[in-house]
Amino acid sequence: MLPIHPGLLLERAISARGSDPEHFYREARMPRKLLHLVLSGRRPISFGLARRLGRIFGTSPWVWIAFQERFDKAL
């Protein structure tokens, strides 16, 4: 099974909220380019971003870190 980049999971989570990347980057208070790099799999989810995502989605930041670590180990 191919590893899934956490950016794809983030994209699905954004969509499940009824939002899209163009609105989400403002809600997350993050640069648009950073969000697009993460969503495209060209940038990992850092701890700072994981904390921000945890607050927005009501999860622990460690959930997002675990997604990233699982992806990194699979490569």
Side-chain angles (χ1 to χ4, degrees):
M1 182 145 96
L2 293 174
I4 297 174
H5 190 275
L8 179 60
L9 301 173
L10 175 57
E11 186 173 30
R12 291 177 182 172
I14 291 169
S15 179
R17 296 181 82 206
S19 189
D20 61 47
E22 290 304 312
H23 292 98
F24 184 77
Y25 84 90
R26 284 188 225 117
E27 179 185 356
R29 295 187 179 117
M30 63 188 296
R32 179 186 295 174
K33 184 174 182 172
L34 172 61
L35 178 61
H36 286 288
L37 289 172
V38 170
L39 294 178
S40 68
R42 293 182 284 164
R43 180 98 185 245
I45 292 183
S46 65
F47 185 73
L49 179 55
R51 285 180 40 204
R52 191 175 299 163
L53 295 175
R55 281 193 303 270
I56 292 169
F57 291 105
T59 63
S60 166
W62 297 108
V63 170
W64 296 98
I65 295 298
F67 289 149
Q68 184 64 55
E69 286 178 349
R70 189 175 307 140
F71 177 78
D72 293 344
K73 287 180 184 177
L75 294 181

